[in-house]
Amino acid sequence: NRHGLSVRGALGLRVIPGGWVPMGLLTFGLFAIGAAGGWVVSLVAEMTQAAFHWTDWFDQTLIQGDIQQLILPLISYTLLAPIFEELVFRGILFSTLRRQLGPWTSIIISAAVFSLAHGYGSVGSISIFLSGILWAWAYEKSGSVLPGMAAHALNNSLVCLTVLLMIRPA
C-alpha cells in the first residue's frame, strides 16, 4: 500500500515492543484503569441520581437461556465483539483519523463514535466513552490494538461472568 504497511501492521495487529510480558502488563493495567473508571462513573451516577441501569447492554439469554443458547452470545460478547470493535474503532477509525487530525482529537472522536455505536443511556455511554479513550490511547502509545483488544475481552468476560454467577438462577 502507499504507506508501506501490511494490513496487519496498518490495523495494529502486532505484539508491542518488548514482547508478551509488557503487553500482558499493559493489558491488565488497561483493564484495571477501565474498571476503576467504570466504578467511579457508577458512583457519581448514584450520588447524582443520574439515570443508569445495568440493562443498557443486557441480553436476556444470559439469564433465561439454556446452556446451548448461551454459547453464541458468550462467544460474541467475550471474543468476537472485542476483536471486531477494536479493529473497527481503533485499527481503522482511530488510525485513519490519526493521520489527519493528530492523536488527541482522533482519540476523542473515535471514543465518541464507539460510545454512540453501543446505544447505551447517558451514564453507560460515559463509561464506554472512557474505555474508548483508554484503548485508543494504548494503541497510540504501543502501536498495537492487541492490549486494548485483550482488555476489552477481559472486561466483557467479567461482566458476563458476573451476570451468570450473580443474576442467573441456579
Side-chain angles (χ1 to χ4, degrees):
N1 72 32
R2 68 180 208 174
H3 295 288
L5 292 174
S6 66
V7 171
R8 190 173 141 226
L11 292 174
L13 290 169
R14 59 179 158 262
V15 176
I16 68 172
W20 290 100
V21 171
M23 194 159 87
L25 293 172
L26 178 57
T27 296
F28 286 109
L30 291 172
F31 171 75
I33 293 167
W39 178 77
V40 169
V41 168
S42 296
L43 186 63
V44 169
E46 188 176 308
M47 289 174 17
T48 61
Q49 298 179 343
F52 176 68
H53 202 272
W54 59 273
T55 60
D56 273 350
W57 66 271
F58 189 68
D59 181 344
Q60 196 68 23
T61 305
L62 292 178
I63 290 187
Q64 296 178 336
D66 62 32
I67 296 300
Q68 290 178 334
Q69 292 171 319
L70 285 174
I71 293 170
L72 188 56
L74 288 174
I75 290 171
S76 177
Y77 299 143
T78 62
L79 188 63
L80 300 178
I83 291 170
F84 175 77
E85 290 177 0
E86 292 310 306
L87 287 174
V88 168
F89 293 104
R90 262 57 75 187
I92 296 172
L93 180 60
F94 167 74
S95 63
T96 300
L97 292 169
R98 172 70 172 87
R99 285 192 288 279
Q100 299 297 318
L101 303 174
W104 282 105
T105 302
S106 302
I107 286 171
I108 298 300
I109 292 171
S110 66
V113 173
F114 177 63
S115 178
L116 290 171
H118 280 78
Y120 294 171
S122 59
V123 176
S125 292
I126 292 168
S127 184
I128 298 299
F129 177 72
L130 294 174
S131 294
I133 288 173
L134 187 62
W135 297 330
W137 173 85
Y139 180 32
E140 171 67 20
K141 293 300 180 185
S142 71
S144 176
V145 296
L146 297 179
M149 196 179 282
H152 192 159
L154 182 58
N155 178 73
N156 287 9
S157 296
L158 289 178
V159 167
C160 287
L161 185 61
T162 300
V163 169
L164 291 173
L165 294 176
M166 298 183 78
I167 300 172
R168 186 177 167 88

